[in-house]
């Protein structure tokens, strides 16, 4: 499924990243992902660090079909090869993946390319590499990446001002701290445990969606007041 630049921009609002470690007995990643999509997730990334390649690909194919049902962009974390084989909407990679490798050429001009960045230089490098959006973080201390350092509001704004493509904040974001991102210039939030570790992921998604909308609205109001 092809998404326009405008659709990609809007889809940054509530970007869900899967984490199977939080699945309860009787649940599957697919069943939980459907609840998340039903309740307003605007983007979905499959991130699997421990699955073997065959199982990873099978789940990616199933999630891609599910996202197509809800017309939500779906990308694969890190693996360009799996993204291509399951015909995902795109891929999300890190800075090390774009060194000496033209990811944009591999996936084609219409696929979505997301690239992680934690500094202005990395953000500029990502945009030059053909990224459609940048995952910026970690914005708060996060349990999913033990060595990640949190960014200041000034650093977030500097990254926002350095690039013209959408940026989505990631790293330790939850219902208790999301409003701290108001005024930072981000176009949305990417969340993992705030949704997938919740007792009821669907309800958590609906709550985070509302808060993400409020955060962006607060950003707009604050920006107008500072002009």
């Amino acid at each position: 499924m092809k998404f326009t630049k405008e659709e990609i921009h809007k889809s940054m609002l509530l970007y869900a990243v899967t984490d199977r470690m939080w699945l309860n007995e009787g649940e599957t990643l697919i069943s939980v992902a459907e609840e998340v999509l039903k309740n307003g997730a605007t983007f979905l990334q499959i991130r699997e660090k421990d699955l073997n390649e065959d199982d990873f690909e099978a789940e990616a194919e199933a999630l891609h079909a599910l996202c197509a049902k809800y017309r939500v962009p779906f990308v694969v974390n890190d693996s360009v090869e799996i993204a291509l084989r399951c015909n995902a909407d795109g891929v999300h990679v890190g800075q090390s993946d774009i060194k000496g490798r033209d990811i944009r050429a591999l996936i084609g001009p219409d696929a979505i390319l997301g690239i992680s960045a934690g500094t202005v230089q990395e953000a500029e490098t990502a945009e030059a590499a053909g990224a459609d959006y940048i995952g910026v973080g970690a914005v708060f201390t996060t349990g999913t990446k033990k060595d990640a350092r949190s960014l200041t509001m000034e650093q977030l704004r500097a990254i926002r001002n350095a690039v013209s493509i959408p940026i989505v904040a990631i790293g330790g974001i939850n219902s208790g701290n999301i409003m701290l991102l108001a005024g930072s210039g981000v176009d949305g939030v990417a969340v993992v445990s705030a949704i997938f570790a919740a007792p009821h992921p669907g309800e958590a998604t609906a709550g985070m969606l509302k808060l993400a909308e409020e955060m962006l609205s607060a950003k707009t109001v604050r920006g107008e007041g500072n002009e």
Side-chain angles (χ1 to χ4, degrees), residues 37-157:
L37 292 168
K38 278 182 180 177
N39 283 277
T42 55
F43 199 107
L44 187 71
Q45 177 192 138
I46 181 173
R47 183 165 68 184
E48 295 289 359
K49 300 298 183 182
D50 301 316
L51 272 189
N52 64 61
E53 188 168 311
D54 289 342
D55 289 340
F56 188 171
E57 185 172 344
E59 291 222 323
E61 288 177 348
L63 286 175
H64 181 218
L66 189 60
C67 286
K69 174 182 173 182
Y70 290 91
R71 192 166 173 77
V72 167
F74 170 72
V75 298
V76 173
N77 178 261
D78 281 348
S79 179
V80 173
E81 293 74 21
I82 289 177
L84 290 172
R85 290 201 298 268
C86 75
N87 197 32
D89 299 311
V91 66
H92 186 96
V93 299
Q95 289 288 315
S96 61
D97 298 300
I98 60 175
K99 292 179 179 178
R101 194 180 187 199
D102 190 342
I103 304 294
R104 171 55 70 196
L106 291 172
I107 65 175
D110 296 329
I112 298 172
L113 176 57
I115 301 177
S116 298
T119 66
V120 167
Q121 182 179 2
E122 288 180 349
E124 291 174 338
T125 298
E127 185 170 34
D132 292 297
Y133 72 88
I134 300 171
V136 178
V139 293
F140 302 116
T141 302
T142 171
T144 58
K145 290 193 175 182
K146 304 295 185 182
D147 58 344
R149 296 181 179 179
S150 57
L151 298 176
T152 65
M153 285 284 286
E154 289 72 22
Q155 289 171 317
L156 278 176
R157 292 192 189 102

Side-chain angles (χ1 to χ4, degrees), residues 17-19 21-22 47 142-144 171-174 190-199 201 204 208:
V17 182
T18 67
D19 191 340
M21 72 172 286
W22 301 107
R47 183 165 68 184
T142 171
T144 58
I173 300 168
N174 56 47
V191 294
V192 189
S193 60
I195 286 178
F196 286 93
M208 288 298 294

Side-chain angles (χ1 to χ4, degrees), residues 9 34 36 51-52 78-79 88 112 130 135 138 148 163 172 194 199 207 219 222:
H9 190 172
E34 180 145 33
V36 168
L51 272 189
N52 64 61
D78 281 348
S79 179
I112 298 172
V163 297
K219 177 194 72 171
R222 185 178 298 182

